[in-house]
Amino acid sequence: MDLIEGLTNFNLTKQEATLYVLLLKAGQLTGYEASKQTGISRSNTYTALAGLVDKGAAYVLEEGKVTRYTPVAPAEFCANKLNRLAEIKEDILGQLPALPGDAEGYVTIKGEREIINKLRNTVRQAQARIYVSANARVLALLRQPLAEAVARGLKVVVISDKSFTLPGAICYGTVKQNEQIRLIADSRTVLTGDLEDAEDSSCLYSCKRNLVDLFKEALKNEIALIQLTER
């Protein structure tokens, strides 16, 4: 991810993000110095620096008649934002109506980022067992929630490239040449699709018993084939 783009996810504008990075490199600057070094107009520079102060990314240093700006440490700035979001989350969840349950039928999830988010959340919400088949690249994106599932005592079965390992999980090594992924959680939900097209990718999520049973059988057959090949 581009650094400036990444910082905009923390509620900074691109000009604010650019000036924040500059302040981190310089330590402290006046508005005039920041404008000169970035090429941003002086009026926009002062507006952006004031925005950084308001958003908790910079402090003002008063030295006589000269006003200088110094950055808040990145880890502190990010942590403060995440803590505030956590507080807002709890407030929102306390006011929103609860979802009655998983949507019936077949739900299509579009975009690699949203698919990965759904995979991670499905793993985190599992209570007994997880079966997942995917290549090592995709599983690397799921490593943390899978490791957390193992630590919670869940049965985790992984079918992936032989290079992928996960302590505590049952791993079957094979050759995964595509971006296809299949995941079953608690014999209750299934998520299947592929990530070949990045943000144009799509995945199917369902709690339909017939689809869950179909994919359970498919994963069992894949494991049996791997075991047969190894013999």
Side-chain angles (χ1 to χ4, degrees):
M1 179 184 291
D2 176 74
L3 176 58
I4 300 301
E5 180 186 347
L7 286 168
T8 61
N9 286 287
F10 282 80
N11 198 33
L12 299 184
T13 67
K14 288 189 175 181
Q15 286 189 344
E16 288 169 350
T18 299
L19 289 166
Y20 180 60
V21 174
L22 178 64
L23 287 176
L24 288 169
K25 292 177 179 177
Q28 54 179 267
L29 290 169
T30 64
Y32 171 77
E33 291 169 336
S35 173
K36 188 174 180 180
Q37 291 187 39
T38 59
I40 300 172
S41 70
R42 196 177 300 184
S43 61
N44 286 343
T45 295
Y46 280 107
T47 298
L49 288 171
L52 287 177
V53 173
D54 290 341
K55 295 174 182 179
Y59 298 126
V60 175
L61 296 174
E62 299 288 354
E63 297 179 354
K65 296 182 179 181
V66 179
T67 300
R68 306 180 74 84
Y69 298 85
T70 188
V72 173
E76 182 180 346
F77 168 64
C78 292
N80 289 341
K81 286 292 184 182
L82 293 175
N83 290 337
R84 179 57 183 150
L85 283 173
E87 293 171 359
I88 294 171
K89 170 190 169 184
E90 292 304 315
D91 187 37
I92 289 173
L93 292 179
Q95 298 182 58
L96 288 174
L99 191 66
D102 287 313
E104 293 292 332
Y106 305 96
V107 178
T108 299
I109 301 169
K110 293 186 176 292
E112 180 175 6
R113 184 178 304 173
E114 294 308 316
I115 292 170
I116 293 298
N117 284 340
K118 187 61 177 176
L119 287 165
R120 288 170 174 164
N121 289 327
T122 301
V123 170
R124 289 187 173 115
Q125 292 164 9
Q127 298 178 4
R129 65 190 67 85
I130 297 161
Y131 286 78
V132 59
S133 174
N135 65 25
R137 185 196 77 83
V138 174
L139 284 177
L141 300 173
L142 301 178
R143 177 177 288 278
Q144 183 175 343
L146 286 172
E148 291 169 354
V150 170
R152 297 200 320 268
L154 275 64
K155 179 181 180 181
V156 177
V157 179
V158 175
I159 305 170
S160 186
D161 300 298
K162 294 180 179 179
S163 61
F164 183 84
T165 59
L166 182 67
I170 302 170
C171 296
Y172 294 95
T174 184
V175 177
K176 293 285 186 180
Q177 296 180 331
N178 55 40
E179 296 284 294
Q180 187 181 57
I181 183 160
R182 291 179 289 183
L183 182 143
I184 299 173
D186 294 336
S187 299
R188 193 179 67 85
T189 59
V190 62
L191 196 150
T192 181
D194 69 69
L195 301 176
E196 290 283 355
D197 299 321
E199 292 310 311
D200 291 324
S201 300
S202 64
C203 220
L204 185 69
Y205 174 81
S206 180
C207 298
K208 287 287 188 179
R209 186 70 198 181
N210 59 340
L211 187 65
V212 172
D213 289 343
L214 177 67
F215 276 89
K216 281 175 65 177
E217 193 63 30
L219 290 179
K220 286 181 182 178
N221 291 337
E222 188 173 3
I223 291 171
L225 181 59
I226 292 171
Q227 291 174 329
L228 183 63
T229 302
E230 289 176 347
R231 293 196 193 101

